[in-house]
mmCIF file of all heavy atoms in Angstrom:
data_model
loop_
_atom_site.group_PDB
_atom_site.id
_atom_site.type_symbol
_atom_site.label_atom_id
_atom_site.label_comp_id
_atom_site.label_asym_id
_atom_site.label_seq_id
_atom_site.Cartn_x
_atom_site.Cartn_y
_atom_site.Cartn_z
ATOM 1 N N LEU T 61 49.974 -53.687 109.395
ATOM 2 C CA LEU T 61 51.036 -52.750 108.955
ATOM 3 C C LEU T 61 51.177 -52.817 107.502
ATOM 4 O O LEU T 61 51.294 -51.648 106.880
ATOM 5 C CB LEU T 61 52.337 -53.054 109.680
ATOM 6 C CG LEU T 61 53.509 -52.234 109.352
ATOM 7 C CD1 LEU T 61 53.206 -50.781 109.722
ATOM 8 C CD2 LEU T 61 54.751 -52.792 109.971
ATOM 9 N N SER T 62 51.129 -53.781 106.790
ATOM 10 C CA SER T 62 51.377 -53.937 105.271
ATOM 11 C C SER T 62 50.354 -53.158 104.561
ATOM 12 O O SER T 62 50.581 -52.260 103.707
ATOM 13 C CB SER T 62 51.356 -55.435 104.834
ATOM 14 O OG SER T 62 51.470 -55.498 103.465
ATOM 15 N N ALA T 63 49.086 -53.298 104.885
ATOM 16 C CA ALA T 63 47.956 -52.705 104.145
ATOM 17 C C ALA T 63 47.998 -51.172 104.500
ATOM 18 O O ALA T 63 47.761 -50.299 103.674
ATOM 19 C CB ALA T 63 46.612 -53.282 104.641
ATOM 20 N N ARG T 64 48.260 -50.883 105.722
ATOM 21 C CA ARG T 64 48.241 -49.296 106.179
ATOM 22 C C ARG T 64 49.432 -48.651 105.443
ATOM 23 O O ARG T 64 49.233 -47.564 104.963
ATOM 24 C CB ARG T 64 48.389 -49.221 107.691
ATOM 25 C CG ARG T 64 47.054 -49.677 108.240
ATOM 26 C CD ARG T 64 46.922 -49.588 109.785
ATOM 27 N NE ARG T 64 48.071 -48.951 110.418
ATOM 28 C CZ ARG T 64 48.690 -49.231 111.662
ATOM 29 N NH1 ARG T 64 48.191 -50.311 112.218
ATOM 30 N NH2 ARG T 64 49.484 -48.396 112.223
ATOM 31 N N LEU T 65 50.577 -49.306 105.267
ATOM 32 C CA LEU T 65 51.731 -48.642 104.681
ATOM 33 C C LEU T 65 51.499 -48.449 103.203
ATOM 34 O O LEU T 65 51.662 -47.376 102.671
ATOM 35 C CB LEU T 65 52.998 -49.383 104.877
ATOM 36 C CG LEU T 65 54.247 -49.003 104.085
ATOM 37 C CD1 LEU T 65 54.612 -47.618 104.586
ATOM 38 C CD2 LEU T 65 55.358 -49.887 104.264
ATOM 39 N N THR T 66 51.071 -49.488 102.505
ATOM 40 C CA THR T 66 50.730 -49.384 101.129
ATOM 41 C C THR T 66 49.666 -48.318 100.854
ATOM 42 O O THR T 66 49.753 -47.548 99.922
ATOM 43 C CB THR T 66 50.196 -50.798 100.626
ATOM 44 O OG1 THR T 66 51.250 -51.824 100.945
ATOM 45 C CG2 THR T 66 49.910 -50.757 99.057
ATOM 46 N N ASN T 67 48.394 -48.443 101.614
ATOM 47 C CA ASN T 67 47.371 -47.416 101.317
ATOM 48 C C ASN T 67 47.771 -45.995 101.596
ATOM 49 O O ASN T 67 47.401 -45.128 100.947
ATOM 50 C CB ASN T 67 46.161 -47.774 102.141
ATOM 51 C CG ASN T 67 45.489 -49.009 101.651
ATOM 52 O OD1 ASN T 67 45.597 -49.445 100.556
ATOM 53 N ND2 ASN T 67 44.889 -49.874 102.587
ATOM 54 N N ALA T 68 48.631 -45.853 102.701
ATOM 55 C CA ALA T 68 49.162 -44.414 102.977
ATOM 56 C C ALA T 68 50.026 -44.004 101.807
ATOM 57 O O ALA T 68 49.943 -42.797 101.456
ATOM 58 C CB ALA T 68 49.864 -44.391 104.280
ATOM 59 N N LEU T 69 50.860 -44.735 101.253
ATOM 60 C CA LEU T 69 51.656 -44.421 100.070
ATOM 61 C C LEU T 69 50.788 -44.033 98.964
ATOM 62 O O LEU T 69 51.035 -42.993 98.201
ATOM 63 C CB LEU T 69 52.610 -45.484 99.617
ATOM 64 C CG LEU T 69 53.937 -45.401 100.443
ATOM 65 C CD1 LEU T 69 54.738 -46.752 100.071
ATOM 66 C CD2 LEU T 69 54.840 -44.312 100.163
ATOM 67 N N ARG T 70 49.844 -44.817 98.557
ATOM 68 C CA ARG T 70 49.020 -44.608 97.495
ATOM 69 C C ARG T 70 48.115 -43.241 97.756
ATOM 70 O O ARG T 70 47.977 -42.493 96.852
ATOM 71 C CB ARG T 70 47.967 -45.816 97.262
ATOM 72 C CG ARG T 70 48.640 -47.006 96.719
ATOM 73 C CD ARG T 70 47.617 -48.166 96.744
ATOM 74 N NE ARG T 70 48.422 -49.296 96.126
ATOM 75 C CZ ARG T 70 48.112 -50.547 96.412
ATOM 76 N NH1 ARG T 70 46.996 -50.760 97.141
ATOM 77 N NH2 ARG T 70 48.710 -51.541 95.888
ATOM 78 N N ASP T 71 47.579 -43.009 98.849
ATOM 79 C CA ASP T 71 46.922 -41.895 99.262
ATOM 80 C C ASP T 71 47.760 -40.565 99.129
ATOM 81 O O ASP T 71 47.372 -39.632 98.520
ATOM 82 C CB ASP T 71 46.368 -41.898 100.731
ATOM 83 C CG ASP T 71 45.313 -42.823 100.871
ATOM 84 O OD1 ASP T 71 44.634 -43.417 99.830
ATOM 85 O OD2 ASP T 71 44.959 -43.258 102.079
ATOM 86 N N ARG T 72 49.053 -40.666 99.611
ATOM 87 C CA ARG T 72 50.001 -39.570 99.402
ATOM 88 C C ARG T 72 50.161 -39.172 98.047
ATOM 89 O O ARG T 72 50.106 -37.946 97.633
ATOM 90 C CB ARG T 72 51.269 -39.910 100.140
ATOM 91 C CG ARG T 72 52.392 -38.965 100.123
ATOM 92 C CD ARG T 72 52.089 -37.677 100.895
ATOM 93 N NE ARG T 72 52.118 -38.043 102.302
ATOM 94 C CZ ARG T 72 52.580 -37.409 103.268
ATOM 95 N NH1 ARG T 72 53.102 -36.202 103.019
ATOM 96 N NH2 ARG T 72 52.532 -37.735 104.511
ATOM 97 N N PHE T 73 50.400 -40.122 97.188
ATOM 98 C CA PHE T 73 50.622 -39.746 95.725
ATOM 99 C C PHE T 73 49.422 -39.320 95.050
ATOM 100 O O PHE T 73 49.420 -38.416 94.268
ATOM 101 C CB PHE T 73 51.352 -40.972 95.100
ATOM 102 C CG PHE T 73 52.743 -41.187 95.196
ATOM 103 C CD1 PHE T 73 53.286 -41.919 96.199
ATOM 104 C CD2 PHE T 73 53.612 -40.369 94.339
ATOM 105 C CE1 PHE T 73 54.651 -41.975 96.414
ATOM 106 C CE2 PHE T 73 54.975 -40.568 94.597
ATOM 107 C CZ PHE T 73 55.449 -41.368 95.545
ATOM 108 N N SER T 74 48.240 -39.897 95.400
ATOM 109 C CA SER T 74 46.974 -39.463 94.760
ATOM 110 C C SER T 74 46.685 -38.057 95.203
ATOM 111 O O SER T 74 46.222 -37.235 94.302
ATOM 112 C CB SER T 74 45.902 -40.480 95.285
ATOM 113 O OG SER T 74 46.105 -41.651 94.714
ATOM 114 N N GLN T 75 46.974 -37.667 96.465
ATOM 115 C CA GLN T 75 46.572 -36.409 96.951
ATOM 116 C C GLN T 75 47.483 -35.261 96.538
ATOM 117 O O GLN T 75 47.099 -34.152 96.382
ATOM 118 C CB GLN T 75 46.444 -36.469 98.467
ATOM 119 C CG GLN T 75 45.227 -37.228 98.914
ATOM 120 C CD GLN T 75 45.307 -37.481 100.363
ATOM 121 O OE1 GLN T 75 46.096 -37.033 101.111
ATOM 122 N NE2 GLN T 75 44.245 -38.251 100.906
ATOM 123 N N GLN T 76 48.768 -35.576 96.414
ATOM 124 C CA GLN T 76 49.790 -34.464 96.162
ATOM 125 C C GLN T 76 50.341 -34.456 94.860
ATOM 126 O O GLN T 76 51.382 -33.821 94.698
ATOM 127 C CB GLN T 76 50.766 -34.729 97.336
ATOM 128 C CG GLN T 76 50.234 -34.442 98.723
ATOM 129 C CD GLN T 76 51.217 -34.358 99.786
ATOM 130 O OE1 GLN T 76 52.537 -34.319 99.555
ATOM 131 N NE2 GLN T 76 50.840 -34.214 101.015
ATOM 132 N N THR T 77 49.923 -35.441 93.968
ATOM 133 C CA THR T 77 50.582 -35.286 92.627
ATOM 134 C C THR T 77 49.409 -35.325 91.649
ATOM 135 O O THR T 77 48.320 -35.691 91.990
ATOM 136 C CB THR T 77 51.558 -36.371 92.338
ATOM 137 O OG1 THR T 77 50.769 -37.615 92.239
ATOM 138 C CG2 THR T 77 52.642 -36.515 93.409
ATOM 139 N N ASN T 78 49.827 -35.088 90.343
ATOM 140 C CA ASN T 78 48.820 -35.174 89.252
ATOM 141 C C ASN T 78 48.870 -36.533 88.620
ATOM 142 O O ASN T 78 48.195 -36.797 87.515
ATOM 143 C CB ASN T 78 48.938 -34.013 88.265
ATOM 144 C CG ASN T 78 48.610 -32.778 88.812
ATOM 145 O OD1 ASN T 78 47.634 -32.582 89.523
ATOM 146 N ND2 ASN T 78 49.258 -31.733 88.254
ATOM 147 N N LEU T 79 49.659 -37.418 89.108
ATOM 148 C CA LEU T 79 49.853 -38.704 88.552
ATOM 149 C C LEU T 79 48.635 -39.583 88.791
ATOM 150 O O LEU T 79 47.957 -39.491 89.899
ATOM 151 C CB LEU T 79 51.159 -39.441 89.265
ATOM 152 C CG LEU T 79 52.467 -38.756 89.020
ATOM 153 C CD1 LEU T 79 53.459 -39.518 89.827
ATOM 154 C CD2 LEU T 79 52.773 -38.750 87.509
ATOM 155 N N ASP T 80 48.266 -40.384 87.739
ATOM 156 C CA ASP T 80 47.041 -41.235 87.951
ATOM 157 C C ASP T 80 47.615 -42.553 88.559
ATOM 158 O O ASP T 80 48.682 -43.135 88.018
ATOM 159 C CB ASP T 80 46.459 -41.614 86.569
ATOM 160 C CG ASP T 80 45.720 -40.431 85.976
ATOM 161 O OD1 ASP T 80 45.129 -39.662 86.719
ATOM 162 O OD2 ASP T 80 45.784 -40.155 84.676
ATOM 163 N N LEU T 81 46.960 -43.034 89.536
ATOM 164 C CA LEU T 81 47.297 -44.335 90.195
ATOM 165 C C LEU T 81 46.782 -45.429 89.363
ATOM 166 O O LEU T 81 45.552 -45.515 89.162
ATOM 167 C CB LEU T 81 46.821 -44.395 91.652
ATOM 168 C CG LEU T 81 47.175 -45.515 92.511
ATOM 169 C CD1 LEU T 81 48.770 -45.523 92.704
ATOM 170 C CD2 LEU T 81 46.532 -45.428 93.906
ATOM 171 N N VAL T 82 47.649 -46.362 88.950
ATOM 172 C CA VAL T 82 47.142 -47.488 88.201
ATOM 173 C C VAL T 82 47.677 -48.770 88.911
ATOM 174 O O VAL T 82 48.680 -48.680 89.671
ATOM 175 C CB VAL T 82 47.810 -47.490 86.759
ATOM 176 C CG1 VAL T 82 47.251 -46.347 85.839
ATOM 177 C CG2 VAL T 82 49.343 -47.443 86.707
ATOM 178 N N SER T 83 47.029 -49.900 88.588
ATOM 179 C CA SER T 83 47.303 -51.093 89.409
ATOM 180 C C SER T 83 48.734 -51.697 89.075
ATOM 181 O O SER T 83 49.298 -52.387 89.852
ATOM 182 C CB SER T 83 46.300 -52.154 89.239
ATOM 183 O OG SER T 83 46.097 -52.416 87.844
ATOM 184 N N ARG T 84 49.163 -51.475 87.781
ATOM 185 C CA ARG T 84 50.529 -51.999 87.391
ATOM 186 C C ARG T 84 50.951 -51.234 86.092
ATOM 187 O O ARG T 84 50.243 -50.611 85.464
ATOM 188 C CB ARG T 84 50.527 -53.486 87.244
ATOM 189 C CG ARG T 84 49.546 -53.854 86.077
ATOM 190 C CD ARG T 84 49.398 -55.412 86.054
ATOM 191 N NE ARG T 84 48.099 -55.685 85.346
ATOM 192 C CZ ARG T 84 47.718 -56.904 85.172
ATOM 193 N NH1 ARG T 84 48.451 -57.887 85.354
ATOM 194 N NH2 ARG T 84 46.504 -57.025 84.504
ATOM 195 N N ASN T 85 52.303 -51.436 85.856
ATOM 196 C CA ASN T 85 52.972 -50.908 84.714
ATOM 197 C C ASN T 85 52.788 -49.380 84.631
ATOM 198 O O ASN T 85 52.628 -48.847 83.537
ATOM 199 C CB ASN T 85 52.434 -51.529 83.575
ATOM 200 C CG ASN T 85 52.693 -53.062 83.459
ATOM 201 O OD1 ASN T 85 53.749 -53.428 84.038
ATOM 202 N ND2 ASN T 85 51.846 -53.823 82.853
ATOM 203 N N GLY T 86 53.017 -48.574 85.725
ATOM 204 C CA GLY T 86 53.032 -47.143 85.630
ATOM 205 C C GLY T 86 54.202 -46.631 85.160
ATOM 206 O O GLY T 86 55.272 -47.305 85.023
ATOM 207 N N ASP T 87 54.245 -45.348 84.766
ATOM 208 C CA ASP T 87 55.538 -44.694 84.297
ATOM 209 C C ASP T 87 56.528 -44.738 85.406
ATOM 210 O O ASP T 87 57.634 -44.858 85.167
ATOM 211 C CB ASP T 87 55.196 -43.273 83.862
ATOM 212 C CG ASP T 87 54.238 -43.109 82.603
ATOM 213 O OD1 ASP T 87 54.239 -44.111 81.853
ATOM 214 O OD2 ASP T 87 53.500 -42.209 82.593
ATOM 215 N N LEU T 88 55.976 -44.506 86.571
ATOM 216 C CA LEU T 88 56.844 -44.607 87.794
ATOM 217 C C LEU T 88 56.280 -45.783 88.625
ATOM 218 O O LEU T 88 55.156 -45.883 88.727
ATOM 219 C CB LEU T 88 56.748 -43.302 88.692
ATOM 220 C CG LEU T 88 57.021 -41.986 87.876
ATOM 221 C CD1 LEU T 88 56.742 -40.863 88.813
ATOM 222 C CD2 LEU T 88 58.457 -42.045 87.324
ATOM 223 N N ARG T 89 57.084 -46.542 89.215
ATOM 224 C CA ARG T 89 56.767 -47.785 89.928
ATOM 225 C C ARG T 89 57.386 -47.886 91.317
ATOM 226 O O ARG T 89 58.690 -47.586 91.436
ATOM 227 C CB ARG T 89 57.080 -48.963 89.171
ATOM 228 C CG ARG T 89 56.355 -48.999 87.780
ATOM 229 C CD ARG T 89 56.862 -50.201 86.992
ATOM 230 N NE ARG T 89 56.313 -50.042 85.624
ATOM 231 C CZ ARG T 89 56.707 -50.793 84.638
ATOM 232 N NH1 ARG T 89 57.725 -51.618 84.809
ATOM 233 N NH2 ARG T 89 56.295 -50.531 83.388
ATOM 234 N N VAL T 90 56.591 -48.130 92.279
ATOM 235 C CA VAL T 90 57.102 -48.248 93.708
ATOM 236 C C VAL T 90 56.653 -49.597 94.273
ATOM 237 O O VAL T 90 55.474 -49.928 94.061
ATOM 238 C CB VAL T 90 56.661 -46.994 94.575
ATOM 239 C CG1 VAL T 90 57.087 -47.338 96.005
ATOM 240 C CG2 VAL T 90 56.991 -45.673 94.088
ATOM 241 N N GLU T 91 57.647 -50.262 94.760
ATOM 242 C CA GLU T 91 57.360 -51.729 95.245
ATOM 243 C C GLU T 91 58.409 -51.921 96.315
ATOM 244 O O GLU T 91 59.335 -51.251 96.459
ATOM 245 C CB GLU T 91 57.358 -52.637 94.158
ATOM 246 C CG GLU T 91 58.790 -52.729 93.415
ATOM 247 C CD GLU T 91 58.633 -53.747 92.269
ATOM 248 O OE1 GLU T 91 57.790 -54.666 92.264
ATOM 249 O OE2 GLU T 91 59.448 -53.591 91.402
ATOM 250 N N GLY T 92 58.069 -52.892 97.152
ATOM 251 C CA GLY T 92 59.051 -53.236 98.177
ATOM 252 C C GLY T 92 58.379 -54.208 99.222
ATOM 253 O O GLY T 92 57.275 -54.845 98.965
ATOM 254 N N GLU T 93 58.940 -54.277 100.466
ATOM 255 C CA GLU T 93 58.528 -55.120 101.454
ATOM 256 C C GLU T 93 59.002 -54.612 102.795
ATOM 257 O O GLU T 93 60.042 -53.942 102.806
ATOM 258 C CB GLU T 93 58.876 -56.509 101.259
ATOM 259 C CG GLU T 93 60.363 -56.840 101.279
ATOM 260 C CD GLU T 93 60.990 -56.808 99.796
ATOM 261 O OE1 GLU T 93 60.140 -56.817 98.828
ATOM 262 O OE2 GLU T 93 62.117 -56.874 99.677
ATOM 263 N N ILE T 94 58.267 -54.977 103.842
ATOM 264 C CA ILE T 94 58.698 -54.639 105.155
ATOM 265 C C ILE T 94 59.526 -55.813 105.684
ATOM 266 O O ILE T 94 59.201 -56.944 105.557
ATOM 267 C CB ILE T 94 57.432 -54.536 106.154
ATOM 268 C CG1 ILE T 94 56.463 -53.487 105.635
ATOM 269 C CG2 ILE T 94 57.832 -54.292 107.595
ATOM 270 C CD1 ILE T 94 55.108 -53.419 106.239
ATOM 271 N N THR T 95 60.826 -55.498 105.861
ATOM 272 C CA THR T 95 61.792 -56.508 106.299
ATOM 273 C C THR T 95 62.147 -56.587 107.709
ATOM 274 O O THR T 95 62.652 -57.620 108.201
ATOM 275 C CB THR T 95 63.000 -56.311 105.477
ATOM 276 O OG1 THR T 95 63.626 -54.992 105.747
ATOM 277 C CG2 THR T 95 62.797 -56.385 103.933
ATOM 278 N N GLY T 96 61.829 -55.605 108.441
ATOM 279 C CA GLY T 96 62.048 -55.571 109.905
ATOM 280 C C GLY T 96 61.038 -54.906 110.731
ATOM 281 O O GLY T 96 60.618 -53.899 110.279
ATOM 282 N N TYR T 97 60.734 -55.401 111.919
ATOM 283 C CA TYR T 97 59.778 -54.854 112.801
ATOM 284 C C TYR T 97 60.158 -55.328 114.150
ATOM 285 O O TYR T 97 59.934 -56.364 114.557
ATOM 286 C CB TYR T 97 58.380 -55.384 112.440
ATOM 287 C CG TYR T 97 57.229 -54.727 113.322
ATOM 288 C CD1 TYR T 97 56.527 -53.701 112.889
ATOM 289 C CD2 TYR T 97 56.770 -55.380 114.456
ATOM 290 C CE1 TYR T 97 55.510 -53.144 113.693
ATOM 291 C CE2 TYR T 97 55.811 -54.904 115.281
ATOM 292 C CZ TYR T 97 55.153 -53.789 114.800
ATOM 293 O OH TYR T 97 54.073 -53.339 115.478
ATOM 294 N N THR T 98 60.773 -54.456 114.973
ATOM 295 C CA THR T 98 61.324 -54.785 116.173
ATOM 296 C C THR T 98 60.946 -53.679 117.308
ATOM 297 O O THR T 98 60.808 -52.534 116.973
ATOM 298 C CB THR T 98 62.818 -54.949 116.271
ATOM 299 O OG1 THR T 98 63.491 -53.610 115.922
ATOM 300 C CG2 THR T 98 63.347 -56.146 115.356
ATOM 301 N N VAL T 99 60.683 -54.297 118.519
ATOM 302 C CA VAL T 99 60.383 -53.411 119.631
ATOM 303 C C VAL T 99 61.544 -53.620 120.636
ATOM 304 O O VAL T 99 61.867 -54.657 121.122
ATOM 305 C CB VAL T 99 59.070 -53.669 120.295
ATOM 306 C CG1 VAL T 99 58.775 -52.907 121.476
ATOM 307 C CG2 VAL T 99 57.983 -53.663 119.245
ATOM 308 N N LYS T 100 62.198 -52.521 121.050
ATOM 309 C CA LYS T 100 63.268 -52.472 121.989
ATOM 310 C C LYS T 100 62.902 -51.597 123.127
ATOM 311 O O LYS T 100 62.404 -50.551 123.026
ATOM 312 C CB LYS T 100 64.609 -52.126 121.442
ATOM 313 C CG LYS T 100 65.071 -52.935 120.206
ATOM 314 C CD LYS T 100 66.365 -52.550 119.722
ATOM 315 C CE LYS T 100 66.885 -53.414 118.604
ATOM 316 N NZ LYS T 100 68.194 -53.026 118.035
ATOM 317 N N PRO T 101 63.251 -51.963 124.385
ATOM 318 C CA PRO T 101 63.030 -51.115 125.523
ATOM 319 C C PRO T 101 63.936 -49.749 125.390
ATOM 320 O O PRO T 101 65.117 -49.973 124.999
ATOM 321 C CB PRO T 101 63.495 -51.935 126.740
ATOM 322 C CG PRO T 101 64.255 -52.993 126.196
ATOM 323 C CD PRO T 101 63.910 -53.255 124.874
ATOM 324 N N LYS T 102 63.363 -48.691 125.610
ATOM 325 C CA LYS T 102 64.094 -47.414 125.514
ATOM 326 C C LYS T 102 64.425 -46.903 126.930
ATOM 327 O O LYS T 102 65.533 -46.266 127.097
ATOM 328 C CB LYS T 102 63.213 -46.424 124.664
ATOM 329 C CG LYS T 102 63.861 -45.164 124.381
ATOM 330 C CD LYS T 102 64.926 -45.234 123.294
ATOM 331 C CE LYS T 102 65.434 -43.935 122.935
ATOM 332 N NZ LYS T 102 66.647 -43.872 122.242
ATOM 333 N N ALA T 103 63.559 -47.062 127.815
ATOM 334 C CA ALA T 103 63.719 -46.642 129.170
ATOM 335 C C ALA T 103 63.133 -47.657 130.247
ATOM 336 O O ALA T 103 62.093 -48.114 130.022
ATOM 337 C CB ALA T 103 62.968 -45.238 129.431
ATOM 338 N N ILE T 104 64.052 -48.065 131.073
ATOM 339 C CA ILE T 104 63.839 -49.068 132.041
ATOM 340 C C ILE T 104 63.443 -48.393 133.400
ATOM 341 O O ILE T 104 64.135 -47.494 133.898
ATOM 342 C CB ILE T 104 64.945 -50.063 132.201
ATOM 343 C CG1 ILE T 104 65.513 -50.618 130.856
ATOM 344 C CG2 ILE T 104 64.631 -51.245 133.263
ATOM 345 C CD1 ILE T 104 64.417 -51.477 130.147
ATOM 346 N N GLN T 105 62.451 -49.037 134.038
ATOM 347 C CA GLN T 105 61.995 -48.507 135.309
ATOM 348 C C GLN T 105 62.772 -49.304 136.364
ATOM 349 O O GLN T 105 63.492 -50.273 136.119
ATOM 350 C CB GLN T 105 60.520 -48.784 135.617
ATOM 351 C CG GLN T 105 59.653 -47.867 134.652
ATOM 352 C CD GLN T 105 58.158 -48.229 134.830
ATOM 353 O OE1 GLN T 105 57.744 -49.241 135.431
ATOM 354 N NE2 GLN T 105 57.338 -47.335 134.416
ATOM 355 N N ALA T 106 62.687 -48.988 137.658
ATOM 356 C CA ALA T 106 63.358 -49.546 138.741
ATOM 357 C C ALA T 106 63.042 -50.982 138.908
ATOM 358 O O ALA T 106 64.045 -51.821 139.230
ATOM 359 C CB ALA T 106 63.035 -48.784 140.031
ATOM 360 N N ASN T 107 61.883 -51.393 138.503
ATOM 361 C CA ASN T 107 61.402 -52.891 138.602
ATOM 362 C C ASN T 107 61.744 -53.572 137.357
ATOM 363 O O ASN T 107 61.249 -54.666 137.250
ATOM 364 C CB ASN T 107 59.996 -52.931 139.054
ATOM 365 C CG ASN T 107 59.070 -52.170 138.083
ATOM 366 O OD1 ASN T 107 59.570 -51.670 137.025
ATOM 367 N ND2 ASN T 107 57.761 -52.309 138.255
#
Side-chain angles (χ1 to χ4, degrees):
L61 182 60
S62 175
R64 289 181 12 218
L65 174 64
T66 303
N67 290 333
L69 275 171
R70 289 175 180 156
D71 290 345
R72 175 72 63 143
F73 277 95
S74 293
Q75 293 169 0
Q76 295 190 4
T77 70
N78 290 330
L79 297 171
D80 292 325
L81 185 63
V82 295
S83 59
R84 60 186 155 177
N85 298 328
D87 297 330
L88 306 176
R89 299 174 190 161
V90 179
E91 58 188 336
E93 59 266 353
I94 300 165
T95 58
Y97 181 92
T98 56
V99 179
K100 295 182 180 179
K102 186 73 172 168
I104 305 296
Q105 296 176 341
N107 58 359

